[in-house]
Amino acid sequence: MLEEILELRRKYDEELKNVNSLSLLNDLRVNYLGKKSKIQEFSEGLRDLSNEDKKEVGKAINDTKNYIEYSLNELRINLELSELNSKLTNEKIDVTLPGTKLNSGIVHPITRVVNDIEELFISMGYDVLDGPEVESDLYNFEMLNLPKGHPARDTQDSFYITDEILLRTQTSPVQVRTMLANLEKTPIRIICPGKTYRKDNDDATHSHQFTQIEGLVVDENISMAHLKGTLEVFAKKMFGEEREIRFRPSYFPFTEPSIEVDISCFNCGGKGCNICKGSGWIEILGAGMVHPNVLNMCGYDSKKYSGFAFGMGPERIAMLKYGINDIRNFYINDMRFLNQFDKVEKEWYHES
Ligand SMILES: [Zn+2]
């Protein structure tokens, strides 16, 4: 049998010389190592041999098997390498062919407005702060001069988790948190953008979820003049250099005095059109001087410190700026709506 094994090995060496592809290599592997191979036959024949022959022949079978496995493996590596090399030389890349178009997203119009406002206030020395959207009744209402049972709470009905925990109706709790954390350190100059929630029925101008940006400044000797100057800068930056602003008396529980702020119409310049409903002015935000009760509750002596606060809705600003007539468009993820801002954004970058 030893002679037969040697003969098999010579035959294998001969055949190996002719293998020049991976598929031929595989055929050879099946022929020499597979279930119906000679090697397998020899192994089965071992049981008919004497113990002494078994040892010798068994060793010869194993050696041959190892030799075949090793040489097949070595050849496989070489063949794979040369196949890769020939692929690399044959497949040339034509760099003049047009590429695959990549779909890139754009910044959501609300995010865009929020980013612009943040950038403006950061340039005026403000910090941008964030706070929890699930808030306590204490921070959302009571510390803002809206005790339980206050009639003005009705205008801000919310989603309650418990009697004391709710989805915030405004970003003002961030102002409370900031004042409490600063312990009479001044100045405080912050804006707080974020999501807010009210139990409104959704229609063209109301959404149960919307965005707010509030601002707060607290220091010694802060007056209404500081508020006016700040909001004028804001109006000109967002709606054009020619904009003027107008204050109208109003009521908010957390400010005294309270005002509504209008800007001169950017569409007609004040002559009257359908955007400003003929008045020449557009209501843009609410503001006022921080109520002494709020200052006192938040740990600031209202005799020494004063401050102003303002709050605006980026949705409303975006609707005015882009002529959008339904607030729900911002939330329903209709690509036909959102894709329009691709063009707006490109024009924007082109301008700036
Ligand atoms: Zn107008």
Side-chain angles (χ1 to χ4, degrees):
M1 202 190 276
L2 278 174
E3 192 47 46
E4 279 179 82
I5 294 171
L6 273 176
E7 180 53 36
L8 179 80
R9 192 159 158 164
R10 276 193 287 273
K11 200 169 153 250
Y12 167 79
D13 280 337
E14 276 306 307
E15 286 183 32
L16 187 68
K17 283 180 199 156
N18 299 325
V19 172
N20 56 9
S21 76
L22 285 168
S23 80
L24 285 178
L25 182 88
N26 199 44
D27 291 346
L28 199 64
R29 178 188 300 281
V30 173
N31 282 344
Y32 280 87
L33 297 174
K35 276 185 188 152
K36 288 175 184 161
S37 62
K38 274 269 179 209
I39 290 276
Q40 195 61 27
E41 222 172 86
F42 292 148
S43 299
E44 279 159 18
L46 272 177
R47 61 179 162 229
D48 303 327
L49 296 178
S50 69
N51 275 348
E52 208 164 301
D53 287 347
K54 238 183 226 175
K55 231 176 168 181
E56 203 182 345
V57 176
K59 187 176 177 301
I61 293 174
N62 266 339
D63 286 351
T64 307
K65 216 166 142 181
N66 289 340
Y67 167 75
I68 294 174
E69 269 170 6
Y70 179 82
S71 55
L72 280 175
N73 206 32
E74 204 172 29
L75 184 62
R76 181 181 58 80
I77 292 169
N78 285 334
L79 285 172
E80 279 174 354
L81 196 69
S82 65
E83 270 188 26
L84 178 69
N85 281 335
S86 73
K87 240 185 181 176
L88 286 174
T89 19
N90 293 334
E91 289 177 8
K92 289 210 181 77
I93 295 166
D94 184 353
V95 290
T96 62
L97 283 173
T100 321
K101 189 176 178 291
L102 286 177
N103 281 322
S104 62
I106 50 138
V107 177
H108 191 277
I110 296 297
T111 310
R112 175 88 213 187
V113 167
V114 172
N115 288 349
D116 282 356
I117 295 172
E118 282 183 8
E119 212 172 278
L120 170 67
F121 280 95
I122 288 169
S123 78
M124 294 198 278
Y126 284 65
D127 289 327
V128 179
L129 296 187
D130 203 358
E133 287 170 32
V134 180
E135 202 28 292
S136 66
D137 187 89
L138 182 71
Y139 286 172
N140 192 76
F141 288 129
E142 288 173 50
M143 299 287 281
L144 290 158
N145 211 24
L146 276 152
K148 287 201 167 71
H150 193 292
R153 280 194 181 209
D154 292 349
T155 61
Q156 295 194 14
D157 202 7
S158 177
F159 300 95
Y160 281 84
I161 286 125
T162 69
D163 283 350
E164 296 299 329
I165 307 283
L166 66 156
L167 294 184
R168 66 178 179 190
T169 59
Q170 46 192 352
T171 48
S172 319
V174 183
Q175 303 184 11
V176 174
R177 287 171 177 276
T178 308
M179 280 193 273
L180 287 173
N182 274 277
L183 301 166
E184 288 211 332
K185 250 191 275 162
T186 50
I188 287 180
R189 273 193 303 255
I190 57 162
I191 57 163
C192 0
K195 291 201 246 342
T196 52
Y197 306 85
R198 292 189 193 178
K199 228 172 109 189
D200 272 331
N201 285 325
D202 291 3
D203 63 24
T205 51
H206 295 87
S207 170
H208 62 279
Q209 181 201 314
F210 55 99
T211 320
Q212 243 192 10
I213 298 185
E214 294 205 339
L216 172 74
V217 171
V218 178
D219 205 348
E220 290 177 47
N221 303 315
I222 294 292
S223 75
M224 204 90 164
H226 296 115
L227 174 61
K228 186 157 189 257
T230 305
L231 293 179
E232 238 162 26
V233 172
F234 163 76
K236 286 177 194 300
K237 165 80 181 173
M238 294 304 287
F239 294 100
E241 276 306 311
E242 308 80 43
R243 295 289 75 72
E244 288 172 34
I245 59 170
R246 170 176 93 165
F247 284 3
R248 278 182 294 116
S250 183
Y251 169 76
F252 303 111
F254 25 82
T255 44
E256 181 61 36
S258 302
I259 51 164
E260 295 280 355
V261 182
D262 301 335
I263 56 164
S264 56
C265 180
F266 51 83
N267 189 47
C268 65
K271 285 189 218 72
C273 69
N274 61 350
I275 291 180
C276 57
K277 297 188 185 93
S279 72
W281 294 93
I282 297 170
E283 187 185 323
I284 201 80
L285 57 89
M289 301 305 292
V290 182
H291 197 292
N293 286 355
V294 175
L295 285 170
N296 291 335
M297 277 189 281
C298 293
Y300 282 74
D301 181 355
S302 63
K303 293 202 174 63
K304 188 176 173 197
Y305 297 105
S306 54
F308 66 73
F310 55 86
M312 60 185 104
E315 281 89 349
R316 178 160 169 74
I317 291 169
M319 285 167 88
L320 286 168
K321 234 179 135 137
Y322 309 129
I324 297 158
N325 50 21
D326 195 324
I327 195 171
R328 289 168 291 195
N329 282 327
F330 293 124
Y331 295 108
I332 54 176
N333 285 332
D334 185 337
M335 292 306 286
R336 289 167 302 178
F337 170 76
L338 293 170
N339 279 335
Q340 296 175 70
F341 292 91
D342 193 15
K343 193 165 167 282
V344 172
E345 187 151 289
K346 274 173 194 145
E347 279 168 8
W348 227 323
Y349 281 122
H350 190 67
E351 274 172 28
S352 53

